[in-house]
Amino acid sequence: MRDDVRRFGPLAGLALLVVGGYALRALVRSAVVGEMSRTGTLPWPLPAFGTTGETVTVYLLGVSLVSYVAIPAVAFALGYRFRRTADRAGPQSQ
């Protein structure tokens, strides 16, 4: 039973990572894009970068960097770890 938990821990981490990435994207889009298009200011004290369009672009670029670079890199690492855990468990677990 404990080996099953260890084997599926990376898969749970991957699921949380993907859901967290989508939640981050939705939060930034609704907060930054929505609020700045209505009022022209950010909803909380975050730094602004030049004009409203430049600020929105910088924040969306940061979210894209996380979505398209960091999440796949961590997913690859979790997949690698999952496979190594399965290899160490032996042929009976496959």
Side-chain angles (χ1 to χ4, degrees):
M1 179 69 174
R2 184 172 166 96
D3 289 335
D4 289 339
V5 172
R6 280 193 184 159
R7 279 189 62 205
F8 293 110
L11 291 178
L14 177 62
L16 287 173
L17 186 69
V18 170
V19 170
Y22 281 115
L24 176 67
R25 179 174 285 248
L27 175 71
V28 168
R29 282 192 186 269
S30 67
V32 173
V33 176
E35 188 68 23
M36 287 196 81
S37 65
R38 282 192 305 274
T39 65
T41 61
L42 290 169
W44 55 85
L46 288 175
F49 305 99
T51 65
T52 300
E54 291 170 346
T55 301
V56 169
T57 301
V58 167
Y59 283 114
L60 291 180
L61 182 63
V63 169
S64 293
L65 181 68
V66 169
S67 297
Y68 296 116
V69 175
I71 289 177
V74 173
F76 179 80
L78 286 172
Y80 179 77
R81 183 176 176 193
F82 176 73
R83 185 62 192 165
R84 290 199 32 103
T85 302
D87 286 346
R88 275 188 267 158
Q92 71 273 9
S93 66
Q94 295 178 355

